[in-house]
Amino acid sequence: MKSSKYSGFYKLSTEERLKEVVEFTELSEEHIASIQDPNSLSLDGADNMVENVIGRFTLPLGVALNFIVNDKEYLIPMVTEEPSVIAAASNGARLTRSSGGFYAMNTGSIMIAQIQITDVKDPENTRMAIYKHKEKILNFCNEQDPVLVQLGGGAVDIDVRIIESDIIDTMVVIHLKVNTLDAMGANAVNTMAEAVAPLIESITGGVVYLRILSNLAVERLVRATTKVKKEELGGEEVVDKIITAYAFAKADPFRATTHNKGIMNGITAGVMATGNDTRAIESGAHAYAAISGQYSPLTTWEKDANGDLVGTIELPLALGLVGGATKVHAAARASVAILGVKSATELAEVIACLGLAQNLAAVRVLATEGVQRGHMSLHAKNVAIEAGAVGDQIEVVVQKMIADKKINVEYAKTLL
Ligand code: MEV
């Protein structure tokens, strides 16, 4: 198996990097063209995707290196506007390699659609009536999507909840659970929920209002774990510092929000690269972070008996490999090819590990030197380029400006 471990990848030209990626994943000519040519999404293609199109908006696509997930090597495509994020993910993943990388698992691809029933006189009795007709409801839903059923998916179960409101009378809400296989599943579950509404009204005597999926996809969880040997981090002292940083996030929602933002730096960039719905993932992740009643970190960090650092992540990841932009956007198809994933659950597992690696890199730097040194050298690079530095000059000017703590265009020009 080819290794995703590289050193000095950042020093290569974009062409050379692409060559390495092609060697790793054997991309087709079409895939290569789609990520190099800014016109791979044509204006007509864009016009077919969304409304009122007047142009296109491109963002950088990079690859996170060094990932091993469930003993398999991965390069992970990431689309982001934020500097340092891709480098940080790659650094985080590199730290885990000596202990085998990441191990990830998933709870399957069950998507939930909610059906809101109002004007119910006897909510408890109605709840039972719905359960009594469960098979009929599921069969009706499955008749809406014979292809999904044929592939082994479809509506599999229902839950019925009673929800009190201080605005309207008590509601009865059905959770229709659908195995959507390799699709994100929004279309499949929304179609079923809308179609089954008249049957629900006839069973309950109530009035059905909303029929829509829930992005709090608690039956589509991904869990991943990793270990970082203390030697990789610079000793047990750094392990303790990282745990102190985690304790802060665990105890305080203000810190937990930023901690999770760092995780989503990775997850959203991976989700975007594959053409999946970033908002679906983000709303689900943040709601899951608050499911205990206190907004909490999506990762945990502990020290094992050996003094090594162990981390976990758990969150809902409703990702698809079929449907939506994943199939119509050529660069998204190329991203999936770079990943080499064969199923939506495999994709979700890799993306969860990306979030964990991203968080590892962030808490490590925050607990030790702070983020500003890295940011300053990036800033210095931009200043050097603005002052006219080219090629090898850039690094020399950057180092001198940092050493002299004078980072401005005038000084860069003087140095040049
Ligand atoms: C910046 O985009 C992300 C961090 O703020 C995350 C964190 O604080 O954990 C560095």
Side-chain angles (χ1 to χ4, degrees), residues 82 85 255 258-263 265 359 362-363 366 371:
E82 187 173 335
V85 164
R255 173 59 206 149
T258 321
H259 180 103
N260 288 343
K261 188 275 183 184
I263 294 169
N265 273 347
N359 182 232
V363 288
L366 286 169
V371 292

Side-chain angles (χ1 to χ4, degrees), residues 15 18-19 21-23 25-38 40 61 330-331 333-335 337-338:
E15 283 297 328
L18 181 63
K19 202 162 152 269
V21 173
V22 171
E23 270 172 29
T25 52
E26 289 164 19
L27 288 183
S28 71
E29 288 302 322
E30 192 199 332
H31 287 143
I32 295 169
S34 74
I35 52 180
Q36 285 207 310
D37 176 4
S40 69
L61 166 71
R333 288 199 302 272
S335 289
I338 293 170

Side-chain angles (χ1 to χ4, degrees), residues 65 327 342 370:
L65 315 169
K327 275 281 182 277
K342 299 284 175 283

Side-chain angles (χ1 to χ4, degrees), residues 325-341:
T326 48
K327 275 281 182 277
V328 296
H329 194 286
R333 288 199 302 272
S335 289
V336 172
I338 293 170
L339 279 159
V341 292

